[in-house]
Amino acid sequence: MATIDDVARASGVSKGTVSSVFSKKRPISQEVTARVLAAAKALNYKPNYWARSLANKSTRIIGLNLRADKVKFSQFHLSLLNGVLGACYARGYRLLVNALPSSFQDQVEHMATDPVDGEILLDPETRDPRVAERLSGEVPIVLIGRPSPEYENRVSYVDNDNVAMTQQITRYLLGLGHRHFLFLNAPKFRTVADDRSRGFLSAIREAGLPPSSYHLKYKPDPDNPSFDFGYEMTLATLTERPDITAVIADTDTMALGVYKAAEALGLAIPDKLSVFAFSDDSVFSPEFTPPLTGVRLHAERLGREAAELLLELIDGGARTLKRTIVPTDMVIRSSCAEPILNLGGNKS
Amino acid sequence: MATIDDVARASGVSKGTVSSVFSKKRPISQEVTARVLAAAKALNYKPNYWARSLANKSTRIIGLNLRADKVKFSQFHLSLLNGVLGACYARGYRLLVNALPSSFQDQVEHMATDPVDGEILLDPETRDPRVAERLSGEVPIVLIGRPSPEYENRVSYVDNDNVAMTQQITRYLLGLGHRHFLFLNAPKFRTVADDRSRGFLSAIREAGLPPSSYHLKYKPDPDNPSFDFGYEMTLATLTERPDITAVIADTDTMALGVYKAAEALGLAIPDKLSVFAFSDDSVFSPEFTPPLTGVRLHAERLGREAAELLLELIDGGARTLKRTIVPTDMVIRSSCAEPILNLGGNKS
DNA sequence: TCGATCCATTAAACCGGTTTAGCGATAATC
DNA sequence: GATTATCGCTAAACCGGTTTAATGGATCGA
């Protein structure tokens, strides 16, 4: 590949001039510019991205960090990615998806600074080691999701208000008359699971219901497909506790597992069992039988806001903390209704 | 940030030695290694990724190029991305998602070599300018999907056998007794659309059917949601040509639009209208009413194979051409059946 | 007409690593 | 015991750009 020196030689100017022609950071006469560009074209020259990054101390790349060992890209991530990409695209940034396991990065020969100007961290966990590591460096970060409390005042993040949202949802179900719940939550190590639990429990307490009125389960193994977890856990729990009339599921896929279990148990949705999901696929959710009631998390907007916030931090250089709350919208379809109690009705 | 010089000074060795400690490319005594690592830890030193890349002429990053202006990340891309990420992850590579519009990259001040060791090009189009550009550089590329003929013998690629697959599908529908088809194909500028058309037409000709026996439509606008296109085109075409008994749709989302149109037209699936889709979502497709018959394209495997092929090209340095064909599997559920003809039955 | 100002351009230093050539000390060879 | 390898390390060149300080020429004002 031709270098800047080749072009300088070919067009009879210094390399500094060639640099200025390409970076446009200093004015160069029309005539010289033309000559340099002609020589560059003839040699098929393009500035070397890494040399440029080294000298500029900037790459125009932002990172998206996810723990591939724990999480696979899901529908939610997909929308989120579309939002992030849109923001990058609009501002001329590239996106680096960093899914390397920490076991790899801990090896001495692979240790290195991240090749990005800033990073978005996905799916934060309680006491997430990635956050601690980034805080000691100088690469700005934005989380999507709430950081654990020890970091809450030290990093910027974008999130839904999961506590209030879950509280609202639970109130909605309480208002319909439900008194016994199965809550199939996200994996316990994720902060979002904790927020949802808090919102749920606060609504339960507010209604004066005892702990026996709910079963709160966390998805244990991230590898375990959501569908299977929804199916098996519903089957097992409802067999044991037939007084449960409402299931709150983590995702629409998990909700589908709940639907299957309800079918297996001979429970009609929503008459005998109400189902709610923390997601809303505008194409598929309406096609469930019956159409699934859930909540729109606006994943694409979460992604876009996070990317824009990060780019702002990068440009401003400002070490200001910001947090953006993206609103959620309940989408009520037909999978939740007043429970029709059996004859041997049970009141708590 | 501390540099290699700081560490060299602090541990009383030369920078070359520090470099060797981190790169492990040359043996360094236990004692010195320990001293250097201690100093590095104290200074919170990490080798600079850009400087290293510049000197090494290698980045351990591969690119995934898609035209964000034309295509949004879809379910298919999602699986594909999971495959690519898995392969990267396993071999310690990072993935750069490059969705920049060419209008941006054409500006002089943004012109630069790509910051990657190799690149995967998604959704190739007929006479795709991206391919021509990459061929003049020295970054190896792998396409996912067939390149247009002028490049077919110059680039490596991974693809399904779309011609044979579509031929097989069409034969299947012909075998069921269908004689009038609506084929809702991918956008015309994509090579995959051409392959599918060829496979379809070859089966049609093989059966001795005239051109009047089919309506072949290409999804015009990539921004137009698949669902809407499926719905509107089915409604319009079937109103005009009620003799059509089978619709072949590009994706499951589009198929869902077809389902809606069938409902609006009062056509029962599959008795009055058979629907087939070039996709298979193992979670949602079975949930369609009736469950959707389609074909599994193994997107994840396409992604993984492409990444592995690319990494092989990078490591080997070999300029060998390879092409990998990933097999497809028809998944027959209940959306295709023998057509039950109306009284005023029509034979071609 | 002379000094001040402005301008495009250049030479050299710099970004932070890797790598080559060489050097002294120890170990192996005959 | 002299010769040759081998080992662990260093100094300096190098990767391919950007940037600073300096330069020479044109323009300006008085």
Side-chain angles (χ1 to χ4, degrees):
Chain A
M1 196 59 155
T3 73
I4 199 173
D5 291 288
D6 299 328
V7 177
R9 212 171 304 127
S11 51
V13 298
S14 74
K15 59 190 286 199
T17 303
V18 177
S19 173
S20 302
V21 167
F22 278 92
S23 69
K24 286 199 177 167
K25 290 187 183 169
R26 211 190 340 270
I28 298 291
S29 67
Q30 283 289 333
E31 180 209 323
V32 174
T33 298
R35 210 165 69 223
V36 168
L37 288 180
K41 190 159 296 173
L43 293 169
N44 190 27
Y45 166 78
K46 288 183 175 185
N48 180 302
Y49 205 101
W50 296 103
R52 193 176 249 191
S53 298
L54 176 59
N56 282 337
K57 294 173 174 300
S58 150
T59 63
R60 296 191 74 82
I61 296 176
I62 65 174
L64 185 70
N65 184 290
L66 71 150
R67 314 198 63 170
D69 45 342
K70 296 202 178 180
V71 184
K72 269 207 154 186
F73 256 91
S74 68
Q75 186 66 42
F76 177 80
H77 292 106
L78 175 61
S79 301
L80 198 141
L81 186 64
N82 269 323
V84 174
L85 274 178
C88 290
Y89 168 103
R91 311 233 343 224
Y93 271 77
R94 292 171 160 89
L95 183 73
L96 183 77
V97 179
N98 187 344
L100 292 180
S102 53
S103 63
F104 180 88
Q105 300 189 62
D106 286 347
Q107 291 173 48
V108 176
E109 63 268 40
H110 297 131
M111 188 186 293
T113 60
D114 269 322
V116 295
D117 293 345
E119 203 167 22
I120 296 175
L121 267 53
L122 244 48
D123 302 316
E125 306 172 6
T126 41
R127 293 177 46 75
D128 196 317
R130 296 174 299 171
V131 178
E133 203 186 313
R134 301 301 186 289
L135 281 176
S136 71
E138 46 214 23
V139 176
I141 59 172
V142 169
L143 307 204
I144 295 185
R146 180 179 62 76
S148 55
E150 63 266 41
Y151 302 126
E152 190 146 5
N153 293 310
R154 302 176 59 194
V155 300
S156 296
Y157 66 91
V158 175
D159 200 3
N160 302 122
D161 186 347
N162 290 300
V163 178
M165 173 189 83
T166 313
Q167 194 172 28
Q168 180 197 349
I169 288 161
T170 311
R171 283 189 191 133
Y172 164 73
L173 292 170
L174 285 163
L176 286 174
H178 295 278
R179 291 297 175 269
H180 296 273
F181 300 88
L182 171 60
F183 186 178
L184 301 177
N185 207 338
K188 195 166 178 48
F189 59 83
R190 295 187 46 196
T191 57
V192 63
D194 188 49
D195 286 356
R196 288 178 182 168
S197 291
R198 295 213 320 271
F200 174 72
L201 293 177
S202 109
I204 289 289
R205 274 194 300 269
E206 184 181 73
L209 296 183
S212 62
S213 64
Y214 59 86
H215 278 233
L216 175 48
K217 307 281 184 184
Y218 296 93
K219 183 161 178 271
D221 179 4
D223 287 336
N224 186 4
S226 289
F227 180 91
D228 297 349
F229 176 73
Y231 178 76
E232 285 155 16
M233 194 52 78
T234 304
L235 210 55
T237 311
L238 288 201
T239 302
E240 196 182 318
R241 293 287 308 265
D243 54 344
I244 290 173
T245 57
V247 181
I248 303 173
D250 183 27
T251 64
D252 44 10
T253 307
M254 195 181 285
L256 204 49
V258 177
Y259 271 52
K260 282 293 148 198
E263 193 182 326
L265 290 163
L267 296 172
I269 300 173
D271 290 346
K272 292 295 182 187
L273 191 69
S274 286
V275 182
F276 187 96
F278 286 112
S279 66
D280 178 69
D281 184 310
S282 57
V283 175
F284 287 113
S285 292
E287 301 308 317
F288 279 45
T289 334
L292 181 64
T293 289
V295 61
R296 197 162 290 174
L297 304 177
H298 300 294
E300 184 159 346
R301 190 165 152 204
L302 280 171
R304 182 159 36 78
E305 297 274 3
E308 280 169 2
L309 181 49
L310 182 59
L311 292 175
E312 203 177 301
L313 287 180
I314 292 171
D315 286 351
R319 281 279 159 274
T320 55
L321 283 189
K322 286 208 182 173
R323 88 193 39 156
T324 306
I325 301 299
V326 171
T328 53
D329 299 312
M330 264 186 74
V331 181
I332 296 181
R333 297 206 182 82
S334 341
S335 67
C336 295
E338 291 181 31
I340 298 178
L341 297 178
N342 289 326
L343 297 181
N346 23 28
K347 292 226 158 192
S348 65
Chain B
M1 196 59 152
T3 73
I4 198 171
D5 290 288
D6 299 327
V7 177
R9 213 170 304 126
S11 50
V13 297
S14 74
K15 60 191 285 199
T17 303
V18 177
S19 173
S20 302
V21 167
F22 279 92
S23 68
K24 286 199 176 169
K25 290 187 183 169
R26 212 189 337 273
I28 299 291
S29 68
Q30 284 288 333
E31 180 210 323
V32 174
T33 298
R35 211 164 69 223
V36 168
L37 287 180
K41 190 158 296 173
L43 293 169
N44 191 27
Y45 166 78
K46 288 183 177 185
N48 182 303
Y49 205 102
W50 315 317
R52 195 176 249 191
S53 298
L54 175 58
N56 282 336
K57 294 171 173 300
S58 152
T59 64
R60 296 192 74 82
I61 295 176
I62 65 174
L64 186 69
N65 185 289
L66 73 151
R67 314 198 63 169
D69 45 341
K70 294 202 177 180
V71 183
K72 270 206 153 186
F73 256 92
S74 67
Q75 185 67 43
F76 177 80
H77 293 108
L78 175 62
S79 302
L80 198 143
L81 186 64
N82 269 323
V84 174
L85 274 179
C88 290
Y89 168 102
R91 310 232 342 222
Y93 270 76
R94 291 171 160 90
L95 182 73
L96 183 78
V97 179
N98 187 345
L100 291 180
S102 52
S103 64
F104 179 88
Q105 300 188 63
D106 286 347
Q107 290 174 48
V108 175
E109 63 269 40
H110 296 132
M111 188 187 292
T113 59
D114 270 321
V116 295
D117 293 345
E119 204 167 22
I120 296 175
L121 267 54
L122 243 49
D123 303 315
E125 306 172 5
T126 42
R127 292 179 44 75
D128 196 317
R130 297 175 298 171
V131 178
E133 202 185 313
R134 300 302 185 291
L135 281 176
S136 72
E138 46 214 22
V139 176
I141 59 172
V142 168
L143 306 205
I144 295 184
R146 181 178 62 75
S148 55
E150 61 267 41
Y151 301 127
E152 191 147 4
N153 294 310
R154 301 178 59 196
V155 299
S156 296
Y157 65 92
V158 174
D159 199 3
N160 301 123
D161 186 347
N162 289 300
V163 178
M165 173 189 82
T166 313
Q167 193 171 28
Q168 180 198 349
I169 288 161
T170 312
R171 283 189 190 134
Y172 164 72
L173 292 170
L174 285 164
L176 286 174
H178 297 277
R179 291 296 176 270
H180 297 274
F181 300 89
L182 171 59
F183 185 177
L184 301 176
N185 207 338
K188 196 166 177 49
F189 59 84
R190 294 187 46 196
T191 57
V192 62
D194 188 50
D195 286 356
R196 288 177 182 169
S197 291
R198 295 212 323 270
F200 174 72
L201 292 176
S202 108
I204 291 290
R205 273 193 300 270
E206 186 180 74
L209 296 184
S212 62
S213 64
Y214 60 86
H215 279 233
L216 176 47
K217 307 281 186 185
Y218 297 92
K219 182 159 178 274
D221 179 5
D223 286 336
N224 186 3
S226 289
F227 181 91
D228 296 349
F229 176 73
Y231 179 76
E232 286 156 16
M233 194 52 78
T234 303
L235 210 55
T237 312
L238 289 202
T239 302
E240 196 182 317
R241 293 288 307 267
D243 53 345
I244 290 174
T245 57
V247 181
I248 303 174
D250 183 26
T251 64
D252 44 11
T253 307
M254 195 181 286
L256 203 49
V258 177
Y259 271 52
K260 282 293 148 197
E263 192 182 326
L265 289 163
L267 296 173
I269 299 173
D271 289 346
K272 292 296 180 185
L273 191 68
S274 286
V275 182
F276 187 97
F278 286 112
S279 66
D280 178 68
D281 184 309
S282 58
V283 174
F284 287 113
S285 293
E287 301 308 315
F288 279 44
T289 334
L292 181 64
T293 289
V295 61
R296 196 160 291 174
L297 304 178
H298 300 295
E300 185 159 346
R301 188 164 156 205
L302 280 171
R304 182 158 36 79
E305 298 272 3
E308 280 169 1
L309 181 50
L310 181 59
L311 292 175
E312 203 178 301
L313 287 179
I314 292 170
D315 285 351
R319 280 281 159 273
T320 55
L321 283 190
K322 286 208 183 173
R323 90 192 36 155
T324 305
I325 300 300
V326 171
T328 53
D329 298 312
M330 265 186 74
V331 180
I332 297 181
R333 296 204 182 81
S334 339
S335 67
C336 295
E338 291 181 31
I340 298 177
L341 297 177
N342 289 325
L343 297 181
N346 21 29
K347 292 226 156 195
S348 66

